[in-house]
Amino acid sequence: EISIDLTGYSIVFEKCQYVKFYNVGDEDGQNDEEGGSVLSVNKFVIFKLCNSNSCSNGCNYDYAEYVIDMETYVAALIEMMQESVE
């Protein structure tokens, strides 16, 4: 197992991004002819992993940008906050 040391980095929230897409049918292969919505929305969070030394400068260089679904981001944030309280 590879271990990566991220102690010198900070997670910086950038923005939320909503992506609309067309439903072509549900899991049963049926179309939404029975009053269902034609559009759905996926919710994502964009965040940066930047060097903690450059975070005060706005994290404009020496960073990596990531996109994950909002549910995963919120779950990880809650877990991190709970661990910091312990």
Side-chain angles (χ1 to χ4, degrees):
E1 182 177 313
I2 298 174
S3 179
I4 299 172
D5 182 17
L6 297 175
T7 54
Y9 291 86
S10 298
I11 295 174
V12 179
F13 172 82
E14 184 70 19
K15 65 180 178 177
C16 292
Q17 183 69 49
Y18 301 99
V19 178
K20 292 183 181 180
F21 65 96
Y22 287 101
N23 287 326
V24 292
D26 58 19
E27 293 175 358
D28 297 331
Q30 299 174 356
N31 291 330
D32 292 323
E33 297 173 1
E34 300 165 356
S37 176
V38 176
L39 290 176
S40 290
V41 177
N42 281 347
K43 300 171 185 172
F44 298 98
V45 172
I46 300 172
F47 67 94
K48 293 179 179 180
L49 184 65
C50 60
N51 188 321
S52 294
N53 295 330
S54 66
C55 276
S56 61
N57 297 331
C59 196
N60 295 321
Y61 64 92
D62 192 21
Y63 68 89
E65 196 167 62
Y66 296 92
V67 178
I68 61 172
D69 64 280
M70 188 176 291
E71 186 176 323
T72 302
Y73 181 82
V74 171
L77 189 61
I78 290 170
E79 182 179 336
M80 183 185 71
M81 293 176 106
Q82 288 173 340
E83 288 176 1
S84 69
V85 171
E86 295 174 352

